[in-house]
Amino acid sequence: MPSDKSVSAAPVFQFTNCWILKNHKLQREDLWVRDGQILNPEKLFFDEKRPADVRLDCKGSIIAPGFIDVQINGGFGVDFSVATDNVAAGISLVSQKILSHGVTSFCPTLVSSPSSVYHKVLPQICVKNGGPNGAGVLGVHLEGPFISKEKRGAHPEQCLRTFEKEAFQDLLATYGSLEGVCIVTLAPELKESGKVIQELTKRGIRVSLGHSMANLSQAEEAVRQGATFITHLFNAMLPFHHRDPGIVGLLTSDQIPPAQQVFYGMISDGIHTNPAALRIAHRAHPKGLVLVTDAIAGMGLAPGRHTLGQQVVEMDGLNSYIAGTKILSGSTARMDTCVRHFKDATGCSVETALEAASLHPAQLLGIEDRKGTLDYDSDADFLLLDDSLHVRATYIAGQQVWRHNAFVL
């Protein structure tokens, strides 16, 4: 038996009467948690001869890893791309509200903005663990401004930039700092982008290809330079063509380096991507699919006028457009809604739908050793869901941080 110093005195929680998503399958097992981590019950029994301190009946719930949203522009009246003196308050509000959506970690996303906005906003966003006050912040996703004018979508043309000779220095001058940044979306056809991709990758920042006119060979070259993600597949890129499938062709390319995997974001809100397109992408490359909300400030609010960075957005039901146009501008969808729609549209398994919002984004960010799974010693960020994948309760570090009123544990 180990010495007392190596044994935690913290209480052990045993979640019973549940189905756990483990090793890509729902398994009828109990979940054991201590000190904010998933516990191996065999070690507990054989090394410590100790039972659980608290047993919780989950009433047949599915237990899955917490959802991770790597592209969310705001919500509940908060726009992450607006320069204020108290950005942290907006981050905190959104992080608290999305707990009911099953999101336990996220990447606040900034759309193409003037350099002054980045210089004011980025220093105010800190990477932090989640807890009772909200989901954890994994780092910032900078979507633009180094993107294609032709495929800018809802990004304001006057904010777009290209790389000059000192490409990476141009990027640093634009953003001010890369501290706390985990993803940068850029268009790989821009001159000098290869150097920028290499420099970002060296710093552990994921490079995503998006808002781009790139052909397949340009996209493949970007992947060889280190790019690993595609921002909202099908949206704001060249449409698939049989002679040159463009960025979409990366899903089945035979030019991806052996040790590298390409992930791609999908906005599964029933608006941005036709169900048939969802099915095509999923069947072509199921292990790379990452569900994202691309949610804007209007998420959680009534229809009306809101902002997306420098633009005014009109919300009409579930649709959001740049005011006065029919240009889609982000979504108002919740992550749990995206998961359910993805399952229904593709006919995939429950396990596949849940992993697209948990395991896959964790793998994209290289944090699957602690997030996105229920493996032993990983962070105890998890959800209790009913059979139709509605969230019953949300846990971060083993602590209940949200619960549906109708569900009593």
Side-chain angles (χ1 to χ4, degrees):
M1 183 174 176
S3 67
D4 290 343
K5 290 183 180 179
S6 64
V7 176
S8 172
V12 173
F13 294 85
Q14 180 184 4
F15 293 80
T16 67
N17 187 15
C18 53
W19 293 87
I20 300 177
L21 178 55
K22 194 173 178 183
N23 298 323
H24 315 295
K25 288 292 181 185
L26 286 176
Q27 304 183 31
R28 190 72 173 178
E29 288 184 23
D30 295 347
L31 185 74
W32 298 70
V33 174
R34 178 170 65 185
D35 274 338
Q37 292 189 312
I38 308 297
L39 192 62
N40 183 341
E42 288 190 9
K43 285 188 177 180
L44 181 72
F45 178 76
F46 289 111
D47 293 352
E48 301 179 39
K49 305 291 191 289
R50 178 178 172 182
D53 298 289
V54 180
R55 297 180 83 247
L56 298 165
D57 183 345
C58 298
K59 299 177 173 61
S61 297
I62 293 169
I63 299 186
F67 298 149
I68 300 170
D69 194 350
V70 300
Q71 187 177 5
I72 172 172
N73 308 290
F76 312 97
V78 175
D79 183 344
F80 299 145
S81 299
V82 171
T84 69
D85 292 324
N86 197 356
V87 173
I91 296 284
S92 294
L93 175 65
V94 174
S95 68
Q96 192 275 325
K97 293 284 190 179
I98 59 178
L99 293 175
S100 65
H101 306 175
V103 177
T104 54
S105 301
F106 70 110
C107 300
T109 304
L110 273 65
V111 296
S112 297
S113 302
S115 184
S116 59
V117 170
Y118 298 116
H119 285 237
K120 184 161 188 176
V121 171
L122 289 179
Q124 297 186 64
I125 303 180
C126 300
V127 174
K128 64 177 183 179
N129 293 326
N133 295 322
V137 176
L138 297 171
V140 178
H141 179 170
L142 297 174
E143 186 187 3
F146 300 97
I147 59 174
S148 162
K149 182 175 75 171
E150 292 81 6
K151 292 294 181 182
R152 64 186 182 277
H155 292 238
E157 184 175 354
Q158 70 271 20
C159 293
L160 305 188
R161 300 176 69 95
T162 56
F163 298 118
E164 302 303 327
K165 191 172 182 180
E166 299 297 324
F168 190 67
Q169 293 307 312
D170 294 339
L171 179 141
L172 287 177
T174 299
Y175 295 143
S177 170
L178 290 173
E179 186 172 351
V181 173
C182 63
I183 304 175
V184 172
T185 291
L186 54 77
E189 72 272 19
L190 296 180
K191 288 183 179 179
E192 309 296 333
S193 65
K195 296 176 185 176
V196 172
I197 293 170
Q198 289 179 342
E199 289 296 329
L200 290 170
T201 303
K202 279 182 196 173
R203 289 161 173 78
I205 296 172
R206 271 39 181 184
V207 175
S208 187
L209 311 180
H211 288 278
S212 167
M213 293 284 289
N215 58 36
L216 178 57
S217 63
Q218 289 170 321
E220 289 170 335
E221 178 58 27
V223 170
R224 284 191 287 269
Q225 302 288 354
T228 55
F229 193 41
I230 303 170
T231 295
H232 45 51
L233 187 77
F234 298 123
N235 289 277
M237 60 187 62
L238 288 177
F240 180 91
H241 189 279
H242 58 283
R243 281 193 289 274
D244 191 336
I247 290 176
V248 177
L250 289 175
L251 272 62
T252 57
S253 171
D254 59 1
Q255 298 300 308
I256 307 300
Q260 203 165 331
Q261 182 173 358
V262 173
F263 294 90
Y264 59 98
M266 294 293 288
I267 309 171
S268 176
D269 62 352
I271 296 166
H272 278 78
T273 311
N274 185 281
L278 265 177
R279 289 191 288 273
I280 288 170
H282 172 245
R283 291 172 189 176
H285 185 26
K287 292 184 179 179
L289 194 150
V290 174
L291 291 176
V292 300
T293 62
D294 198 20
I296 61 170
M299 177 181 65
L301 301 181
R305 288 203 160 202
H306 305 283
T307 65
L308 177 60
Q310 308 298 302
Q311 308 270 49
V312 176
V313 172
E314 290 180 334
M315 267 176 56
D316 179 14
L318 295 176
N319 298 289
S320 57
Y321 304 104
I322 295 298
T325 77
K326 286 298 180 182
I327 298 172
L328 285 173
S329 55
S331 84
T332 58
R334 301 159 47 118
M335 180 59 87
D336 56 328
T337 302
C338 291
V339 170
R340 291 191 295 273
H341 177 72
F342 171 58
K343 179 182 177 297
D344 292 342
T346 62
C348 72
S349 67
V350 167
E351 293 94 335
T352 295
L354 293 169
E355 288 187 341
S358 54
L359 175 62
H360 296 177
Q363 291 172 329
L364 161 67
L365 296 174
I367 57 173
E368 69 272 22
D369 59 329
R370 55 191 176 90
K371 303 283 186 189
T373 77
L374 298 178
D375 292 345
Y376 300 141
D377 301 322
S378 62
D379 293 347
D381 298 353
F382 59 90
L383 313 174
L384 272 60
L385 307 106
D386 64 19
D387 289 345
S388 59
L389 302 186
H390 289 85
V391 181
R392 288 175 162 176
T394 303
Y395 285 75
I396 294 180
Q399 184 176 0
Q400 187 182 102
V401 294
W402 180 84
R403 178 180 58 81
H404 193 280
N405 291 334
F407 181 69
V408 180
L409 193 61

